């Protein structure tokens, strides 16, 4: 009977150990499933982060390209402004020279007109004398 008692205790202990083993296995499966889910979530977040990083890289490239175009446009504008200023100065010089030339021509024409007028008056006077 002492051995039966020991055998019963061993069976009870074995049943308890098996129950604990089943519980531990279930707990292990639950933890494994949770770890798998967490790993999946982590991968999703990592992929999302990678996508976000790529978007930032792409946006940075676009911005850099736009800045380069803007700088080129500013250089072109400055160059055009310089050319326009040179043309304005050239036009002012030409206008000044044209004004001087026009004044000379006007003076010459006025002088020729005055001479012609004087000749006409002189001829009128000579004609009047000849008729008298």
């Amino acid at each position: 009977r002492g051995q039966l008692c020991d055998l019963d205790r061993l069976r009870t202990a074995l049943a308890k150990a098996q129950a604990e083993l089943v519980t531990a296995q279930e707990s292990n499966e639950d933890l494994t499933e949770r770890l798998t889910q967490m790993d999946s979530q982590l991968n999703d977040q990592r992929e999302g982060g990678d996508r976000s990083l790529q978007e930032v890289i792409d946006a940075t490239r676009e911005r850099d390209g736009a800045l380069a175009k803007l700088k080129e446009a500013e250089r072109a504008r400055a160059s055009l402004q310089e050319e326009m200023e040179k043309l304005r100065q050239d036009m002012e010089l030409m206008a000044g020279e044209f004004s001087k030339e026009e004044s000379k021509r006007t003076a010459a024409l006025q002088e020729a007109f005055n001479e012609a007028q004087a000749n006409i008056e002189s001829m009128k006077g000579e004609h009047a004398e000849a008729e008298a």
Side-chain angles (χ1 to χ4, degrees):
R1 181 145 171 115
Q3 287 181 339
L4 277 175
C5 223
D6 286 340
L7 187 58
D8 281 340
R9 265 190 268 142
L10 284 175
R11 282 186 185 152
T12 302
L14 182 60
K16 185 178 178 184
Q18 283 180 336
E20 288 175 1
L21 181 61
V22 167
T23 302
Q25 286 174 338
E26 288 172 353
S27 178
N28 185 40
E29 289 172 2
D30 288 344
L31 289 173
T32 300
E33 184 177 333
R34 284 182 60 204
L35 284 173
T36 301
Q37 289 174 350
M38 291 173 72
D39 189 47
S40 176
Q41 290 173 347
L42 182 61
N43 284 334
D44 290 346
Q45 288 177 351
R46 188 176 299 126
E47 288 172 4
D50 290 345
R51 280 190 301 275
S52 295
L53 179 60
Q54 188 59 49
E55 288 173 5
V56 168
I57 289 169
D58 293 344
T60 301
R61 284 184 185 145
E62 286 180 33
R63 185 206 62 204
D64 291 347
L67 285 175
K69 287 179 183 178
L70 178 63
K71 287 179 183 178
E72 182 59 34
E74 287 173 349
R75 282 191 292 270
R77 182 185 62 163
S79 177
L80 287 173
Q81 285 177 332
E82 286 177 21
E83 287 182 42
M84 286 177 58
E85 180 61 22
K86 286 178 185 176
L87 288 173
R88 186 191 62 76
Q89 290 172 357
D90 289 347
M91 288 182 69
E92 284 179 2
L93 287 174
M94 289 173 61
E97 289 175 14
F98 179 73
S99 179
K100 288 177 188 176
E101 187 64 32
E102 184 179 352
S103 294
K104 287 179 187 177
R105 286 184 184 169
T106 302
L109 287 173
Q110 186 65 46
E111 187 179 327
F113 177 77
N114 290 342
E115 283 180 25
Q117 192 76 24
N119 285 340
I120 289 172
E121 292 299 321
S122 172
M123 291 172 112
K124 280 184 185 178
E126 288 175 8
H127 182 64
E129 283 178 15
E131 282 185 356

